[in-house]
Amino acid sequence: MPDAETGAIRVASPAGRWVVLTTVLGSSMAMLDSTVINVALPRIGKDLGTDLAALQWTVNAYMLTLAGLILLGGALGDRYGRRRVFVVGVVWFATASVLCGIAPNAAVLISARALQGIGGALLTPGSLALIQASFHPDDRARAVGLWSGFGGIGAAVGPFVGGWLVDGPGWRWVFLLNVPLAAVCLPVALRHVPESRDPHAHGRFDVLGAVFGALALALVTYALIEAPGQGASGAVIGAAVGGVALAVAFVRLERRRPDPMLPPSVFASRQFTVVNIITVCVYAALGGYFFLSAIQLQVVAGYSALGAGTALLPTTVLMLLFSASSGELGQRIGPRIPLTAGPLVAAAGMLLMLRVGPGSSSVSGYLTDVLPAVGLLGAGLVTVVAPLTATVLASVDTARAGLASGINNAAARAAGLIAVAALPLLAGMGPEAYRNADEFASTFRRAMPMCAGLLVLGSLIAWATVRKPPVTADEEKPRPECTVHCGVVAPPLEPAQEETRDQDAD
């Protein structure tokens, strides 16, 4: 079997197909649970007698631990083996999914969702890192395109599968679905995926940094979710202030530690930094959209859970057909055009969702109101997702693939987390809004332009700052570690590195 560290595997080979299958299965588990839950929320709220805040926590408990620990998960994979940590994450995720499926009340469900996020933090960065470390440099863009396309299907097909399960055997099977996926993924990973690790990974793990980051997100999320019900109470204000203070402390801590979870040196690449900012804009918009649109289709437009999931299928089809080609196109023409055009097209789709209302559940209503919106959204995602992911990974050395994918995934999940927490507050959505069609419709009309605005902002940033095609780690040597904050001595720059540094500085 080819050595993963040499990056010798080709996509068309049997080994390449096994690696893609394994990473898609694993990441699809995490992606499914980030979207499948949205269609089930109205039924979960009814069965468990919860308000909107509990539904937000059902979504965000998963996102919170995923975003807060995903950097640590990437570091664990780089140190102890990406396949090993990936396999542990799959087992952990499947076990937590069973706990979600048997939860007797909202408190247990939310706790189990938080455990799911821990499993996701182990397997999600490992999937991308395995691709980047295993495949030949010429095939990486196509492999990432296949991963993002088929993995994106996991996210996009979630509402359909969730709707079918909710209307059939019940919402608990939304979580139990992960068990057979894990049963297929585990033996394939152990038998066919080569192990890889970062030979330079050393030192202690930054557990304190992970705790600070997770607590900062938790406190800010608590303040945003509880503010509509509690107002400017002492608990809400205290949580907000504490969250911001911990975020500042986290940044200062990472600058001073010799082995930080979030090394400042990785942001020396201007393109890596910019693309992560674009990621925040795109995934904040998507997080808010998926949370609210599934409820809008059911509560306001009158769709069943299955009908709402089916209505969103065009996005799945477009991702299936065109994501791999989009990754290759981004490699040929550079990331600037896809990262500029994709968010704009997706923003247009979100604005068209404003047409969805009480008459949209008929065939003609679907064709005129829902289909154009989800079609444009899908076209936008096809354009932006694969080039976005490929650009992030190509901006760093292959040995730091786990760290890079962890940072990018953390940015995406944290963005979605904050969006789900903040949008109901910003749109004036009350605790019982999801039970009242008129109230939810009015707040939905205020929320969708906010989501579209985030996509437009991401597009403008891409147009203004992304200039060069992604440079693979095989074409450019990694930058020296930061001598100011990281406490290590940088080696002398070679002429090629000096030229690259000067170009980035310009």
Side-chain angles (χ1 to χ4, degrees):
M1 181 174 291
D3 185 354
E5 296 299 335
T6 66
I9 296 177
R10 307 305 296 240
V11 169
S13 68
R17 289 192 288 269
W18 283 118
V19 172
V20 170
L21 173 63
T22 303
T23 56
V24 166
L25 283 173
S27 61
S28 291
M29 291 170 60
M31 291 183 179
L32 267 171
D33 269 54
S34 66
T35 58
V36 71
I37 188 67
N38 295 319
V39 172
L41 288 176
R43 192 68 58 85
I44 291 174
K46 180 180 179 181
D47 287 356
L48 300 183
T50 63
D51 59 9
L52 181 64
L55 298 184
Q56 288 174 276
W57 277 116
T58 300
V59 174
N60 277 352
Y62 172 78
M63 302 296 286
L64 176 62
T65 51
L66 177 61
L69 299 176
I70 201 167
L71 290 173
L72 187 60
L76 287 169
D78 286 343
R79 174 81 67 82
Y80 294 117
R82 291 154 186 155
R83 184 186 66 177
R84 178 183 299 175
V85 173
F86 175 85
V87 166
V88 172
V90 170
V91 174
W92 186 300
F93 195 92
T95 303
S97 297
V98 173
L99 295 178
C100 289
I102 63 175
N105 53 52
V108 174
L109 176 60
I110 292 169
S111 300
R113 288 282 286 168
L115 290 175
Q116 264 192 322
I118 297 174
L122 296 176
L123 69 89
T124 301
S127 63
L128 269 176
L130 285 172
I131 288 176
Q132 190 73 357
S134 300
F135 284 101
H136 189 280
D138 293 343
D139 282 8
R140 283 175 189 155
R142 178 165 178 78
V144 170
L146 290 170
W147 175 87
S148 63
F150 288 104
I153 291 169
V157 79
F160 170 74
V161 174
W164 178 74
L165 292 172
V166 169
D167 286 344
W171 62 264
R172 296 180 184 277
W173 285 93
V174 165
F175 303 106
L176 298 176
L177 177 66
N178 291 316
V179 176
L181 288 177
V184 175
C185 183
L186 282 173
V188 174
L190 293 172
R191 180 175 178 81
H192 297 287
V193 176
E195 183 62 281
S196 66
R197 57 176 53 86
D198 180 0
H200 305 295
H202 61 85
R204 297 180 179 179
F205 290 109
D206 186 11
V207 177
L208 185 60
V211 171
F212 273 32
L215 285 178
L217 283 174
L219 290 174
V220 171
T221 301
Y222 175 85
L224 291 171
I225 290 178
E226 299 301 327
Q230 299 185 26
S233 65
V236 169
I237 295 175
V241 172
V244 173
L246 278 174
V248 173
F250 170 75
V251 173
R252 293 172 64 88
L253 177 70
E254 298 304 282
R255 288 179 173 178
R256 295 177 178 178
R257 292 182 72 89
D259 293 293
M261 180 179 69
L262 184 63
S265 61
V266 77
F267 293 100
S269 168
R270 181 177 60 184
Q271 183 154 273
F272 180 80
T273 303
V274 166
V275 173
N276 275 287
I277 294 173
I278 297 169
T279 296
V280 168
C281 294
V282 170
Y283 282 89
L286 290 177
Y289 166 82
F290 282 117
F291 176 68
L292 297 177
S293 62
I295 300 177
Q296 173 79 359
L297 287 170
Q298 295 178 73
V299 173
V300 178
Y303 283 83
S304 65
L306 176 59
T310 305
L312 301 173
L313 271 180
T315 301
T316 304
V317 175
L318 290 172
M319 292 287 289
L320 171 64
L321 295 178
F322 301 114
S323 281
S325 299
S326 175
E328 294 178 321
L329 177 63
Q331 186 181 40
R332 289 200 304 270
I333 67 175
R336 187 187 188 197
I337 293 177
L339 298 188
T340 300
L344 290 178
V345 175
M350 287 188 182
L351 291 177
L352 284 180
M353 282 297 292
L354 296 174
R355 295 169 56 88
V356 175
S360 299
S361 58
S362 65
V363 174
S364 61
Y366 175 76
L367 294 176
T368 57
D369 298 342
V370 181
L371 182 59
V374 298
L376 273 180
L377 177 66
L381 294 181
V382 165
T383 304
V384 72
V385 170
L388 187 71
T389 304
T391 305
V392 166
L393 292 179
S395 300
V396 300
D397 181 67
T398 303
R400 308 185 85 179
L403 173 65
S405 62
I407 291 173
N408 189 244
N409 272 282
R413 309 312 168 192
L417 169 74
I418 297 300
V420 171
L423 270 177
L425 174 63
L426 295 175
M429 196 174 294
E432 301 296 325
Y434 81 97
R435 302 180 190 275
N436 186 294
D438 292 336
E439 182 181 352
F440 192 87
S442 63
T443 54
F444 182 81
R445 286 193 293 269
R446 292 193 289 269
M448 279 301 100
M450 297 178 192
C451 294
L454 286 170
L455 288 170
V456 173
L457 177 60
S459 175
L460 293 175
I461 293 172
W463 180 257
T465 59
V466 177
R467 298 295 181 190
K468 298 180 295 184
V471 180
T472 66
D474 299 271
E475 298 169 328
E476 177 181 87
K477 292 186 178 181
R479 300 178 183 277
E481 295 296 323
C482 172
T483 58
V484 177
H485 301 302
C486 300
V488 297
V489 178
L493 290 177
E494 296 181 3
Q497 290 175 299
E498 290 182 337
E499 180 181 354
T500 302
R501 179 196 63 185
D502 293 339
Q503 289 175 352
D504 275 359
D506 292 338

